[in-house]
Amino acid sequence: MTNQRSVSRVCPFCEATCGVIIEVADEAILKVRGDREDPFSRGFICPKVYALKELHDDPERLRRPLKRTPGGWQEISWPAAYREISARLLAIRKKHGPDAIGMYAGNPLVHDLAFLYLPVLGRALGSHNVFNAGAIDTLPREVQTGLMFGGPFPATIAVPDIDRTKYLLIVGANPAISHGSLMTMPDAPGRLKNVIARGGRVVVIDPRRTETARLASEHHFIRPGTDAAFLLAMAQTLFEEGLVRLGAAAGMVNGLDSVQHCVRDFTPEAVADYCGVSPAHIRRIAREFAAADGAACYGRLGTCVQKFGTLASWGVELMNILTGNLDRAGGVMFPRAAAPVTALASTRPFELDRSKSRVSGQPKVGGMNPSSAMAEEMLTAGDGRVRAMILLMTNPLRSAANSRELEAAFRGLECLVAMDFYLNETTRHADFILPTPSPAEQPNYEFGLYHLSVRNVAKWSWTAVAPPADSPPAWEVMLQLGAGLLGFEGRQTKALDDSVFAQLAQTAVKNNRHWEGLSVEEVVSGLGDSIGPERVIDMLLRLGPYGNGFGRNPSGLTLERVKDAPHGIDLGPLEPRLGEIINTRSGKIELAPFPMVDDLPRLRGHIASPAIAEQMLLIGRRNLRTSNSFMHNLPALVKGRNPCTLQVSPHDASRLGIADGSEARVTSRVGSIVAPVEVTADLMPGVVSLPHGWGHDLEETRLSVAKAHRGVNTNFLTDNQAYDAPSGTAVLFGTPVTVEPAPESNAELSGPGSRAAGR
Ligand SMILES: Nc1nc2c(c(=O)[nH]1)N[C@H]1C(S)=C(S)[C@@H](COP(=O)(O)OP(=O)(O)OC[C@H]3O[C@@H](n4cnc5c(=O)[nH]c(N)nc54)[C@H](O)[C@@H]3O)O[C@H]1N2
Ligand SMILES: Nc1nc2c(c(=O)[nH]1)N[C@H]1C(S)=C(S)[C@@H](COP(=O)(O)OP(=O)(O)OC[C@H]3O[C@@H](n4cnc5c(=O)[nH]c(N)nc54)[C@H](O)[C@@H]3O)O[C@H]1N2
Ligand code: SF4
Ligand SMILES: [Mo]
């Protein structure tokens, strides 16, 4: 008898949290469709959603642990894997100390409940060599909001109130394709169109005329890496023209005079040539922004993974604060998460680390080294050298800057443990690959993203199909790896989890501000016999602002109540709550923190340097149908035209003598690759664009579909020594390159790694 059912959940493949219905018969996924009854997404989905089925069905997805042996890969049992891994790691730690084992977690972990167990594993590891994946993504924003509001991230991120705004200024983000980031909103294209439909404006600032730009009221090209100057020139205009109004932030800020002083020389005229945006446009956009009845400035990767990521993020925030749009309907607002994960975080105000990374002195944040320091920390001898790594759902040999150097570094490790379900470019170096179930086989609650959503919502994701009987979820694997490092290898998961939970409950009760008289014992006994992250989420929901307060508010939320609403619960539009957010030492929003002020001379130096304007700059590009590097083995998502092309403007193409459809060699300080050329007027002259996550040409991987759609790896070009000074974030956008025609014969000389030659 077939057991047919419809399972409701949230799609885990980007930050939009679209509701989906998965049609299942027995343990087969028949179909995935948008959930029209989801109050937040109302049926919207994008093509990536099919990866729920395709990933599940992929015959090359690993289902059992693999161990490297002299005779090749060998399947082993989970208990054997835990036992052998703990023996190997403990031996390395005994000989070389705790810093000899590093750890690095990638993007998909954010969408897995196991993310809650990352600090647990981190503590068991006790190493200074934890590497920060934020340093190829969100870190400048984390540092900027941390310094201004006091943290913790992500609770201090104010998101555009997109459903009410009258003016949305998008600087360096492409939500029509990415579907939003640090801004959770299903149906980004629809919401953008609605801003215009209600008489508002959407203005896009981007070196590429993007899919978002096409939906917008207006688009301006900008030279990569110059946004900080552009945004500070708008702030200067606000001061000069008497347009500064603090609104809800009045009386809650420090340093307004300092900001005025800092931006005085960033006049629109002084920065226009540098940015490639005319002074008239800069002034007009600043005036319109200030005059709008609700305006929101939003920046994402284009203002983060660039030369001045922290300053550009500061500029974005200043625009919102100086025009009174912080904490205002139609401006930018702080979501109120039903399960506030920040209850588990430190309440100490955010500070930048004083120590730097061991080898090249890159900035550390939150005790973590930036991902760009990974290779050198493995390759450079001395105390604290990394000799073993634990990777959690990441493919740094395709996603991190200067991935060719990482290749050598990973090859030289004494032990590599990768929790991953593909044998790919990175995991091929592993000694143990630990595949956790496919997303459809696991429950989920997007606790992190609901801190960033444009409406307050709560939704449980149900398991669609049962995982194989002996296939532990990622949180259990992490718990067992941690136990192994503490010498508790072989202990029962429940016993381990109870002691972890007791600690989490202690922190949560200590941080609790909602409910009087709550005790740890009450929390622990109130959650009965449950286990794992579900128990943690249940605690957070009960303790949270809509919670039942462990009986103090009987009609409030519990996990059971959330589960009882299969399509999700809408908790209403964003509401003002600035007073609850500020967590700085001064109790005020710090408008001019010293790390920003101290970085201004670097920006002024860049503006004054004449050579800058001559450089050809490489930026990235995202693909609607795949996410980062791990969906390229799914036939439905990679069929059709090759998206991995080098986009070049017609002006540059004719100047350089490269034709559409030909091949070009692109060379940076660290590497050189050959890529097919697409000539398009969508690119600003002086800028070329190549997507990331490709370059699947290595024999040893088990990715036969991806190999047939290999593309080239742009991170052979990005430079791990180029980073944003305050945060240590890699410059992935704005890499100086030379571009030249690639004669067929030259291209054939290229070595492994998508016809790329190291230099
Ligand atoms: N040049 C350039 N580089 C970039 C970017 C850019 O724009 N330009 N973007 C950067 C950004 S923002 C990010 S977030 C990073 C992303 O880079 P990564 O964090 O490395 O993410 P992915 O490339 O998607 O690799 C995810 C890995 O996790 C595995 N995986 C996926 N889902 C699961 C799962 O459910 N369980 C298990 N066990 N394994 C899973 C996949 O097999 C894959 O190996 O790339 C960064 N790199
Ligand atoms: N379909 C799809 N969706 C995704 C992903 C994916 O791989 N595919 N990845 C997910 C992840 S991990 C993330 S972090 C988000 C990212 O979400 P977004 O940041 O919205 O995505 P990007 O496409 O990287 O957009 C960055 C934009 O900045 C522009 N840009 C580059 N350099 C500069 C600059 O110096 N200044 C300015 N002003 N603009 C610049 C680029 O042209 C690009 O349009 O997307 C997520 N969603
Ligand atoms: S936009 Fe696409 S990838 Fe993102 S959650 Fe929705 S369906 Fe999934
Ligand atoms: Mo990302």
Side-chain angles (χ1 to χ4, degrees), residues 11 13-14 16-18 45-46 48-49 179:
C11 167
F13 298 128
C14 85
T17 69
C18 299
I45 46 169
C46 86
K48 275 186 294 168
V49 80
H179 294 107

Side-chain angles (χ1 to χ4, degrees), residues 1 99 234 251 334 379 423 531 564-565 664 740:
M1 196 184 82
D99 294 341
M234 288 206 291
F334 300 98
L379 291 168
L423 177 42
I531 182 174
D564 280 345
E740 60 198 323

